[in-house]
Amino acid sequence: MKNKINKFIHSKYLLISLIVLLILLVIATGTYAWFTWRSTSNTSLTMNIGKLADVTFNSGNDISTSTLAPVYNYTDGEKTTFSINNKDTTGASLDYNIKLNITSIASELKSSDLKYVLLKDNTIVKEGDFSTMVVGTNTIYSDSISSSGTINFTFYLYIDGNSENNLNMINKSLVGSIVVEAQETSFEIFADYIENTLYNNDNYETITNNGIDYEYNTVNSLMYDNYGSIRYYGANPNNYVYFNCDDYSNQSASTCEIWRILGSFFTPSGGNQVRIIRNNVINNFKWDSLANEGGWPDAGLHHALNYDYINKNSGACSFDSTQTCDFSSTGLKNDATRNAISDFEWLINPITTELISAYPNDIYENEINSGTTTWTGRVGIMYLSDYAYATDLSKCSNVIADYSNSSCSSNNWLKSSSDEWTISNYNNNYEQIYYIGTDGSINTDNFLIEHNFRPTLYLKSEQTFQGGTGTLADPYQLVIR
């Protein structure tokens, strides 16, 4: 299938010229550098950025000062204030970006001591420095504004006086502008991107395991499992994604958790949905503290995830007062995150095949065979087949029972440094549950024993994304409101 990544469709944009910085040859006490701003205008300026909004700079389109000195608090730096007003009365919201467009910047000014802070209605929404600024566009903030709303911003620029400044900054220049951009956006469906852009448009290699030929996309570490799903495999594929964020308009490692993409999975209703798993484990939980012996639908961990974890509860579990469910620091943070999760029909047959002779396809066929047990819910944990397929089958030809072999465990991105429950129980024995050992081996244990786990969930089929490359340094960013 052919597909193209949809680009942002910009309605209109306005470049509001703000800054021409020259560092004068003036030295303060110690090694501080002093700045002078040059400005030609200080009148109030209102400009239209599209049919829905105006942006107004309250003190003109420039900042003017002759004494930008090192300060201990950003509020003592130089500032400009502006507002974005959505004039629309039809109920349409307005997406916007605030960017720093750098025309030129001396290498000496790409410094962690030259900093900025952006406030929205007196709350800091972004702060950073110029150490990673590039010539061109640097997006510093994105969000949306509701119909007939106004948002006020303050932008501060300052030299951090809490550390020594480099004398080489003196007499160097920075020229740039602030860009306020309104946009109508069209984002790509995440599952389509994984299938069409990443999997279908690159190099392939056929890998044979247990007599089954698998088509591997070796560039993006994606495999077709022959059952309609596309999965990530290998030691460390680029499948990182921000999720469970405090603020989806400002996604970063400090506002979001890091999750990983298991793949794009075929659904009973047709089409594919993306399933993701938390990157870090949650420690020490009994698979079924009530010993119900009814499999996953009756398991205590199932109830904990779909009630206490989803609602970020703390204290005793809602289903068992003797079990602790403190998800105050690990639970889902807000309704935006909860609303992104799909109710899904999970297939949860027990694993009846003996691992000593089983391969990934054997395990998966156990899970999906006829007469399968199903559970419709929102949050689960990994399948045994997830772990089986996540290894690089071109380097691991072992049966599942031998996955502790270094060629298998070291090339499996789902192996963690601690033991971990799976959703799969052993051969209709609901007391014995499969878990992954610290060495990568597959074992069973009694459901009253505590092991770690990672929440796993399906995103809604219409889930889109807005950027990122999937690396740990640049995870995918989902569009979640």
Side-chain angles (χ1 to χ4, degrees), residues 45-167:
L45 177 67
T46 300
M47 300 294 288
N48 184 260
I49 60 171
K51 66 179 181 179
L52 300 183
D54 289 336
V55 60
T56 300
F57 281 83
N58 302 317
S59 299
N61 61 331
D62 293 312
I63 300 174
S64 178
T65 180
S66 59
T67 56
L68 184 60
V71 295
Y72 293 110
N73 299 302
Y74 73 87
T75 53
D76 295 323
E78 296 304 321
K79 70 176 182 179
T80 186
T81 60
F82 60 97
S83 61
I84 299 176
N85 174 35
N86 187 353
K87 301 181 297 182
D88 181 71
T89 59
T90 66
S93 62
L94 171 74
D95 292 327
Y96 63 88
N97 296 319
I98 298 174
K99 304 177 180 180
L100 291 178
N101 265 14
I102 304 300
T103 303
S104 64
I105 181 172
S107 59
E108 294 83 355
L109 297 184
K110 292 185 176 182
S111 168
S112 59
D113 293 330
L114 181 57
K115 298 183 176 181
Y116 69 88
V117 173
L118 181 69
L119 279 73
K120 180 174 73 172
D121 291 332
N122 298 318
T123 299
I124 294 176
V125 292
K126 190 62 182 294
E127 51 188 324
D129 58 55
F130 282 73
S131 61
T132 58
M133 289 290 181
V134 298
V135 173
T137 299
N138 301 265
T139 301
I140 63 172
Y141 187 69
S142 301
D143 202 1
S144 61
I145 180 173
S146 60
S147 175
S148 302
T150 298
I151 300 178
N152 299 305
F153 291 91
T154 305
F155 179 83
Y156 287 92
L157 183 75
Y158 68 105
I159 308 169
D160 189 354
N162 295 291
S163 61
E164 286 195 357
N165 308 128
N166 191 340
L167 274 175

Side-chain angles (χ1 to χ4, degrees), residues 287-288 292-299 301-302 346-355 362-369 372-375 381-385 420-436 442-448:
W287 201 86
D288 187 7
N292 284 320
E293 297 192 8
W296 180 255
D298 291 325
L301 184 51
H302 146 236
W346 298 62
L347 309 178
I348 49 173
N349 270 357
I351 305 301
T352 57
T353 299
E354 294 297 328
L355 299 187
D362 298 317
I363 299 302
Y364 191 57
E365 286 169 4
N366 267 232
E367 294 169 353
I368 65 171
N369 65 13
T372 187
T373 301
T374 63
W375 163 74
I381 55 178
M382 78 161 85
Y383 287 100
L384 185 55
S385 63
E420 185 173 348
W421 283 124
T422 75
I423 204 170
S424 307
N425 61 283
Y426 168 68
N427 197 24
N428 291 318
N429 182 345
Y430 294 111
E431 294 185 10
Q432 292 296 311
I433 311 300
Y434 285 104
Y435 74 94
I436 312 302
I442 298 173
N443 313 274
T444 62
D445 212 342
N446 185 275
F447 57 14
L448 294 176

Side-chain angles (χ1 to χ4, degrees), residues 86-267:
N86 187 353
K87 301 181 297 182
D88 181 71
T89 59
T90 66
S93 62
L94 171 74
D95 292 327
Y96 63 88
N97 296 319
I98 298 174
K99 304 177 180 180
L100 291 178
N101 265 14
I102 304 300
T103 303
S104 64
I105 181 172
S107 59
E108 294 83 355
L109 297 184
K110 292 185 176 182
S111 168
S112 59
D113 293 330
L114 181 57
K115 298 183 176 181
Y116 69 88
V117 173
L118 181 69
L119 279 73
K120 180 174 73 172
D121 291 332
N122 298 318
T123 299
I124 294 176
V125 292
K126 190 62 182 294
E127 51 188 324
D129 58 55
F130 282 73
S131 61
T132 58
M133 289 290 181
V134 298
V135 173
T137 299
N138 301 265
T139 301
I140 63 172
Y141 187 69
S142 301
D143 202 1
S144 61
I145 180 173
S146 60
S147 175
S148 302
T150 298
I151 300 178
N152 299 305
F153 291 91
T154 305
F155 179 83
Y156 287 92
L157 183 75
Y158 68 105
I159 308 169
D160 189 354
N162 295 291
S163 61
E164 286 195 357
N165 308 128
N166 191 340
L167 274 175
N168 293 328
M169 296 169 69
I170 296 173
N171 207 29
K172 300 300 187 295
S173 67
L174 162 68
V175 180
S177 60
I178 282 185
V179 176
V180 181
E181 182 180 272
Q183 60 185 17
E184 297 173 2
T185 57
S186 179
F187 302 106
E188 185 169 12
I189 299 294
F190 204 22
D192 291 346
Y193 173 75
I194 292 172
E195 180 179 359
N196 299 332
T197 301
L198 294 182
Y199 180 75
N200 284 337
N201 291 338
D202 254 310
N203 298 327
Y204 301 99
E205 181 178 335
T206 299
I207 303 300
T208 302
N209 180 273
N210 192 30
I212 306 296
D213 289 337
Y214 298 98
E215 192 175 66
Y216 269 38
N217 178 309
T218 57
V219 173
N220 294 311
S221 298
L222 286 164
M223 64 167 292
Y224 181 67
D225 68 5
N226 295 321
Y227 296 94
S229 300
I230 297 169
R231 302 170 181 265
Y232 279 97
Y233 74 90
N236 188 29
N238 293 330
N239 61 345
Y240 295 90
V241 59
Y242 286 130
F243 193 65
N244 201 19
C245 301
D246 292 308
D247 181 4
Y248 284 98
S249 67
N250 181 28
Q251 296 183 39
S252 69
S254 61
T255 62
C256 303
E257 292 178 352
I258 302 293
W259 287 52
R260 301 191 74 170
I261 305 163
L262 285 158
S264 177
F265 289 83
F266 180 77
T267 67

